[in-house]
Amino acid sequence: MFLAVDIGNTNIVMSFHDGKQWGRTWRIHTDTKKTSDEYLVIMETLWENSGFDRTAVRHAAISSVVPNLTRAIQKDIQRIFSISPLMLSMQVKTGLDMSTVPSEIGQDIMCNLAAAHQMFPDRVAMTLDCGTAMTFSTVDEKGRVLGVAILPGLVTAVNALFGNTAQLPQVELKIPTSVLGRNTVDSIRAGIMLGYIEMIDGMIERTEKELGKKIAVIATGGLSSTIASEIPRIDVLAPNHTLDGLRLISEMNRETT
Ligand SMILES: Nc1ncnc2c1ncn2[C@@H]1O[C@H](COP(=O)(O)OP(=O)(O)O)[C@@H](O)[C@H]1O
Ligand SMILES: CC(C)(COP(=O)(O)O)[C@@H](O)C(=O)NCCC(=O)O
Ligand SMILES: [K+]
């Protein structure tokens, strides 16, 4: 079995792949104040309840955009499974033309680009990742990274409006029936959900205009399943896209790890 760990700003996602499909997935809240020992307790508990055989996990890989937690989680994986996880970096093989990868790029974005290029090897492919941040990352048919756009994710945008001292009720982010909100909650849904949908459509169109060709679009992360149905330009909804990229990269680097 292969274990993928994607340390994001909201969730640490851990999922097991048996060679055919992703099985059990754990989502652990990202908390930079937690220590390696605290995460060890959480992971040990989850693992014990799963009933899996520890020795079945032969390979692991970690992608992290939270540097403070990277080392702690790496240590825990080593202790629980007695294996050294592959740590993503600019030095690993990804199937991308590494000379075109911006040096500051987030590791989750690198996974998305690698998985997108594998999914659409003959096309320009864009991944829309709806996490804490919303990111658009685009790779061409030669594995060259064309570029990335970053903006606040849907929930981050709502939190930016009202913070933690909200006078307003928690808003469940769903698609409203009208763009003309008649109460505060529906107005926020109209602004955030329909506004983001229009923005995403516009970003896809703008990218195609700049490149002068049609692109393939993959959506993943957080609330992607809620908005994808409203955006016909999305070709594939792939909830495990970042993990697929991590798995692909792990396989490419096995002989050297
Ligand atoms: N049903 C849901 N599943 C996952 N994330 C959700 C869901 N509903 C809302 N979200 C929001 O999506 C974001 C988390 O997405 P995720 O892809 O896990 O982010 P990250 O990779 O940044 O940790 C958060 O802002 C979270 O509040
Ligand atoms: C853009 C991100 C914050 C997205 O993180 P996420 O929403 O998945 O937690 C992350 O990929 C990151 O910190 N990137 C570094 C900046 C860059 O990609 O250029
Ligand atoms: K992510």
Side-chain angles (χ1 to χ4, degrees):
M1 254 193 317
F2 167 69
L3 167 61
V5 184
D6 171 20
I7 306 175
N9 285 294
T10 302
N11 291 308
I12 301 171
V13 179
M14 304 181 63
S15 192
F16 297 89
H17 198 285
D18 64 7
K20 289 202 185 82
Q21 58 190 10
W22 293 104
R24 207 158 173 91
T25 297
W26 300 331
R27 284 179 174 272
I28 308 171
H29 181 64
T30 304
D31 178 358
T32 51
K33 292 197 189 76
K34 275 204 174 60
T35 65
S36 168
D37 292 332
E38 289 173 302
Y39 274 116
L40 184 66
V41 173
I42 295 173
M43 284 157 59
E44 284 274 15
T45 310
L46 288 167
W47 184 254
E48 267 152 31
N49 289 331
S50 74
F52 287 155
D53 167 15
R54 275 172 205 248
T55 59
V57 179
R58 306 280 294 278
H59 301 280
I62 300 179
S63 153
S64 174
V65 296
V66 188
N68 284 353
L69 288 181
T70 314
R71 181 82 193 96
I73 302 289
Q74 178 187 16
K75 245 171 70 183
D76 290 344
I77 301 288
Q78 271 161 347
R79 275 180 62 183
I80 299 175
F81 302 107
S82 308
I83 53 173
S84 294
L86 173 76
M87 306 304 292
L88 235 69
S89 73
M90 296 300 275
Q91 277 70 49
V92 302
K93 289 181 219 159
T94 60
L96 301 168
D97 175 345
M98 292 308 283
S99 71
T100 65
V101 181
S103 63
E104 291 173 331
I105 208 163
Q107 295 181 354
D108 55 351
I109 298 178
M110 208 153 83
C111 292
N112 288 341
L113 288 160
H117 183 50
Q118 186 194 37
M119 195 184 280
F120 291 103
D122 306 319
R123 293 185 65 183
V124 175
M126 170 189 270
T127 303
L128 163 67
D129 192 333
C130 309
T132 313
M134 181 171 279
T135 61
F136 298 83
S137 55
T138 307
V139 58
D140 77 3
E141 54 283 294
K142 294 206 166 71
R144 292 180 298 214
V145 176
L146 299 181
V148 178
I150 304 174
L151 67 150
L154 295 153
V155 173
T156 308
V158 174
N159 289 345
L161 265 182
F162 301 112
N164 295 321
T165 54
Q167 292 175 306
L168 297 144
Q170 280 274 330
V171 182
E172 189 202 341
L173 282 178
K174 54 183 192 186
I175 317 255
T177 47
S178 167
V179 71
L180 304 165
R182 303 283 306 161
N183 59 62
T184 310
V185 168
D186 280 342
S187 300
I188 293 168
R189 285 179 181 146
I192 297 286
M193 298 307 271
L194 301 180
Y196 266 76
I197 286 165
E198 293 301 323
M199 178 277 291
I200 292 165
D201 255 339
M203 288 294 277
I204 296 168
E205 239 177 69
R206 188 174 273 264
T207 306
E208 289 186 332
K209 218 164 155 189
E210 189 169 324
L211 296 175
K213 59 171 97 168
K214 286 273 167 208
I215 62 175
V217 184
I218 304 147
T220 192
L223 284 159
S224 56
S225 55
T226 312
I227 54 172
S229 57
E230 300 294 316
I231 308 173
R233 284 304 324 273
I234 292 175
D235 297 290
V236 186
L237 177 63
N240 293 321
H241 190 66
T242 311
L243 304 179
D244 285 335
L246 204 46
R247 179 165 170 263
L248 171 73
I249 292 169
S250 163
E251 282 177 349
M252 283 181 178
N253 291 275
R254 279 227 179 130
E255 54 285 356
T256 58
T257 55

